Coordinates of all heavy atoms in Angstrom, one line a residue:
Chain B
D108 N 1.9 28.6 -30.2 CA 0.9 29.2 -31.0 C 1.1 30.7 -31.1 O 0.8 31.3 -32.1 CB -0.5 28.9 -30.4 CG -0.6 27.4 -30.3 OD1 -1.0 26.7 -31.3 OD2 -0.3 26.8 -29.2
I109 N 1.5 31.3 -30.0 CA 1.8 32.8 -30.0 C 3.2 32.9 -29.6 O 3.7 32.3 -28.6 CB 0.9 33.5 -29.0 CG1 -0.6 33.4 -29.4 CG2 1.2 35.0 -28.9 CD1 -1.6 34.0 -28.3
I110 N 4.0 33.7 -30.4 CA 5.4 33.9 -30.0 C 5.6 35.5 -29.9 O 4.9 36.2 -30.6 CB 6.3 33.3 -31.0 CG1 6.3 33.9 -32.4 CG2 6.0 31.8 -31.1 CD1 7.3 33.3 -33.4
M111 N 6.5 35.8 -29.1 CA 6.8 37.3 -28.9 C 8.1 37.7 -29.6 O 9.1 37.0 -29.6 CB 6.9 37.5 -27.4 CG 5.7 37.1 -26.5 SD 4.1 37.8 -27.1 CE 4.3 39.5 -26.7
A112 N 8.0 38.9 -30.1 CA 9.2 39.5 -30.7 C 10.3 39.8 -29.7 O 9.9 40.1 -28.5 CB 8.8 40.8 -31.5
K141 N 9.9 40.1 -37.5 CA 8.8 39.9 -38.5 C 9.4 39.3 -39.8 O 8.8 38.4 -40.4 CB 8.1 41.3 -38.8 CG 6.7 41.1 -39.4 CD 5.8 42.3 -39.0 CE 4.4 42.0 -39.4 NZ 4.1 42.0 -40.8
H144 N 10.6 35.6 -39.1 CA 9.6 34.6 -38.6 C 9.2 33.7 -39.8 O 8.8 34.2 -40.8 CB 8.4 35.4 -38.1 CG 7.3 34.5 -37.6 ND1 7.5 33.4 -37.0 CD2 5.9 34.7 -37.7 CE1 6.3 32.8 -36.7 NE2 5.3 33.6 -37.2
R146 N 7.1 30.7 -39.6 CA 5.9 29.8 -39.5 C 4.6 30.6 -39.4 O 4.3 31.2 -38.4 CB 6.0 28.8 -38.3 CG 7.1 27.8 -38.5 CD 7.2 26.9 -37.3 NE 6.0 26.3 -36.9 CZ 5.9 25.4 -35.9 NH1 7.0 24.9 -35.3 NH2 4.7 24.9 -35.6
E147 N 3.8 30.4 -40.5 CA 2.5 31.1 -40.5 C 1.5 30.6 -39.5 O 0.5 31.3 -39.1 CB 1.9 31.0 -41.9 CG 2.6 31.9 -42.9 CD 1.9 32.0 -44.2 OE1 0.7 31.4 -44.3 OE2 2.4 32.5 -45.2
D148 N 1.8 29.4 -39.0 CA 0.9 28.9 -37.9 C 1.1 29.5 -36.6 O 0.4 29.2 -35.6 CB 0.9 27.3 -37.9 CG 2.3 26.8 -37.5 OD1 3.3 27.5 -37.9 OD2 2.4 25.8 -36.9
Q149 N 2.2 30.3 -36.4 CA 2.5 30.9 -35.2 C 2.2 32.4 -35.3 O 2.7 33.1 -36.2 CB 3.9 30.7 -34.8 CG 4.4 29.3 -34.6 CD 5.8 29.2 -34.2 OE1 6.7 29.6 -34.9 NE2 6.1 28.7 -33.0
A150 N 1.4 33.0 -34.3 CA 1.1 34.4 -34.4 C 2.2 35.1 -33.6 O 2.5 34.9 -32.5 CB -0.2 34.7 -33.7
L151 N 2.9 36.0 -34.4 CA 4.0 36.8 -33.8 C 3.5 38.2 -33.3 O 2.9 38.9 -34.0 CB 5.1 37.1 -34.8 CG 6.2 38.0 -34.4 CD1 7.0 37.5 -33.3 CD2 7.1 38.3 -35.7
F152 N 3.6 38.4 -31.9 CA 3.1 39.6 -31.3 C 4.3 40.6 -31.2 O 5.4 40.2 -30.8 CB 2.6 39.4 -29.9 CG 1.2 38.8 -29.8 CD1 0.6 38.1 -30.9 CD2 0.4 39.0 -28.7 CE1 -0.7 37.6 -30.8 CE2 -0.9 38.5 -28.6 CZ -1.4 37.8 -29.6
G153 N 4.1 41.9 -31.5 CA 5.1 42.9 -31.1 C 4.9 43.3 -29.7 O 3.9 43.1 -29.1
I154 N 5.9 44.0 -29.1 CA 5.9 44.4 -27.7 C 6.0 45.9 -27.6 O 7.0 46.5 -28.1 CB 6.9 43.7 -26.9 CG1 6.7 42.1 -26.9 CG2 6.9 44.2 -25.4 CD1 7.7 41.3 -26.2
M171 N 4.7 50.2 -33.8 CA 4.4 48.8 -33.8 C 3.1 48.5 -34.6 O 3.1 47.5 -35.4 CB 4.1 48.3 -32.3 CG 5.4 48.1 -31.6 SD 6.3 46.6 -32.1 CE 7.8 46.8 -31.2
V172 N 2.1 49.4 -34.5 CA 0.9 49.2 -35.2 C 1.1 49.3 -36.7 O 0.5 48.5 -37.5 CB -0.2 50.2 -34.7 CG1 -1.4 50.1 -35.7 CG2 -0.6 49.8 -33.3
A173 N 2.1 50.1 -37.1 CA 2.4 50.3 -38.5 C 3.0 49.0 -39.1 O 2.9 48.7 -40.3 CB 3.4 51.4 -38.7
M174 N 3.6 48.2 -38.2 CA 4.2 46.9 -38.6 C 3.1 45.8 -38.7 O 3.3 44.7 -39.2 CB 5.3 46.4 -37.7 CG 6.5 47.3 -37.8 SD 7.8 46.6 -36.7 CE 8.3 48.1 -35.7
D175 N 1.9 46.1 -38.2 CA 0.7 45.3 -38.3 C 0.9 43.8 -37.8 O 0.9 42.9 -38.5 CB 0.3 45.2 -39.8 CG -1.1 44.6 -40.0 OD1 -1.9 44.7 -39.0 OD2 -1.3 44.0 -41.0
F176 N 1.1 43.8 -36.5 CA 1.2 42.5 -35.8 C -0.2 42.0 -35.5 O -1.1 42.8 -35.4 CB 2.0 42.6 -34.5 CG 3.5 42.7 -34.7 CD1 4.1 44.0 -34.7 CD2 4.3 41.7 -35.0 CE1 5.4 44.2 -34.8 CE2 5.7 41.8 -35.2 CZ 6.2 43.1 -35.1
P177 N -0.4 40.7 -35.4 CA -1.8 40.2 -35.0 C -2.2 40.4 -33.6 O -3.3 40.2 -33.2 CB -1.7 38.7 -35.3 CG -0.2 38.4 -35.2 CD 0.5 39.6 -35.6
G178 N -1.2 40.8 -32.8 CA -1.5 41.1 -31.4 C -0.3 41.9 -30.8 O 0.8 41.9 -31.4
Y179 N -0.5 42.5 -29.6 CA 0.5 43.3 -29.0 C 0.7 43.0 -27.5 O -0.2 43.0 -26.8 CB 0.2 44.8 -29.2 CG 0.1 45.1 -30.7 CD1 -1.1 45.1 -31.4 CD2 1.3 45.5 -31.4 CE1 -1.2 45.4 -32.7 CE2 1.2 45.7 -32.8 CZ 0.0 45.7 -33.4 OH -0.1 45.9 -34.8
G180 N 2.0 42.8 -27.2 CA 2.3 42.7 -25.8 C 2.6 44.1 -25.2 O 3.0 45.0 -25.9
M204 N -4.3 51.9 -28.8 CA -4.0 50.5 -29.3 C -5.2 50.0 -30.1 O -6.4 50.4 -29.9 CB -3.7 49.6 -28.1 CG -2.3 49.9 -27.5 SD -1.9 48.7 -26.2 CE -1.5 47.2 -27.1
P205 N -4.9 49.1 -31.1 CA -6.0 48.7 -32.0 C -7.1 47.9 -31.2 O -6.8 47.1 -30.3 CB -5.2 47.7 -32.9 CG -3.8 48.0 -32.8 CD -3.6 48.6 -31.5
K206 N -8.3 48.3 -31.5 CA -9.4 47.7 -30.7 C -9.7 46.2 -31.0 O -10.2 45.5 -30.1 CB -10.7 48.5 -31.1 CG -10.7 49.9 -30.6 CD -12.0 50.2 -29.8 CE -12.0 51.7 -29.2 NZ -10.7 52.0 -28.5
H207 N -9.3 45.8 -32.2 CA -9.7 44.4 -32.5 C -8.6 43.4 -32.5 O -8.6 42.4 -33.2 CB -10.5 44.4 -33.9 CG -11.7 45.3 -33.8 ND1 -12.8 45.0 -33.0 CD2 -12.0 46.5 -34.4 CE1 -13.7 45.9 -33.1 NE2 -13.2 46.9 -33.9
K208 N -7.5 43.8 -31.9 CA -6.4 42.9 -31.7 C -6.1 42.7 -30.2 O -6.2 43.6 -29.4 CB -5.2 43.4 -32.5 CG -5.3 43.4 -34.0 CD -4.1 43.8 -34.7 CE -4.3 43.6 -36.2 NZ -3.1 44.0 -37.0
P209 N -5.7 41.4 -29.9 CA -5.5 41.2 -28.4 C -4.3 42.0 -27.8 O -3.3 42.3 -28.5 CB -5.1 39.7 -28.4 CG -4.8 39.3 -29.8 CD -5.5 40.2 -30.7
R210 N -4.6 42.5 -26.6 CA -3.6 43.2 -25.9 C -3.2 42.4 -24.6 O -4.0 42.1 -23.8 CB -4.2 44.5 -25.4 CG -4.8 45.4 -26.5 CD -5.7 46.5 -25.8 NE -6.3 47.3 -26.9 CZ -6.9 48.4 -26.6 NH1 -7.0 48.9 -25.4 NH2 -7.5 49.1 -27.6
Y211 N -1.9 42.2 -24.5 CA -1.4 41.3 -23.5 C -0.4 42.0 -22.6 O 0.7 42.4 -23.0 CB -0.7 40.1 -24.3 CG 0.3 39.3 -23.6 CD1 0.2 39.0 -22.2 CD2 1.4 38.7 -24.3 CE1 1.2 38.2 -21.6 CE2 2.4 38.0 -23.6 CZ 2.3 37.7 -22.3 OH 3.2 37.0 -21.7
D230 N -6.5 42.3 -22.5 CA -7.2 41.1 -22.8 C -6.5 39.9 -22.1 O -7.1 38.9 -21.8 CB -7.3 40.8 -24.3 CG -8.0 42.0 -25.0 OD1 -9.2 42.2 -24.7 OD2 -7.4 42.6 -25.8
M231 N -5.2 39.9 -22.1 CA -4.4 38.8 -21.6 C -3.4 39.2 -20.6 O -2.8 40.3 -20.6 CB -3.6 38.2 -22.8 CG -4.5 37.7 -24.0 SD -3.5 37.4 -25.5 CE -2.3 36.2 -25.0

Side-chain angles (χ1 to χ4, degrees):
Chain B
D108 304 274
I109 299 174
I110 68 177
M111 303 304 293
K141 201 153 193 283
H144 178 39
R146 288 177 55 171
E147 287 188 7
D148 60 330
Q149 297 181 298
L151 172 64
F152 281 24
I154 301 178
M171 283 288 172
V172 169
M174 291 183 231
D175 192 28
F176 288 99
Y179 299 92
M204 288 182 72
K206 291 231 175 309
H207 301 293
K208 289 185 174 177
R210 305 168 182 191
Y211 158 35
D230 303 297
M231 300 164 60

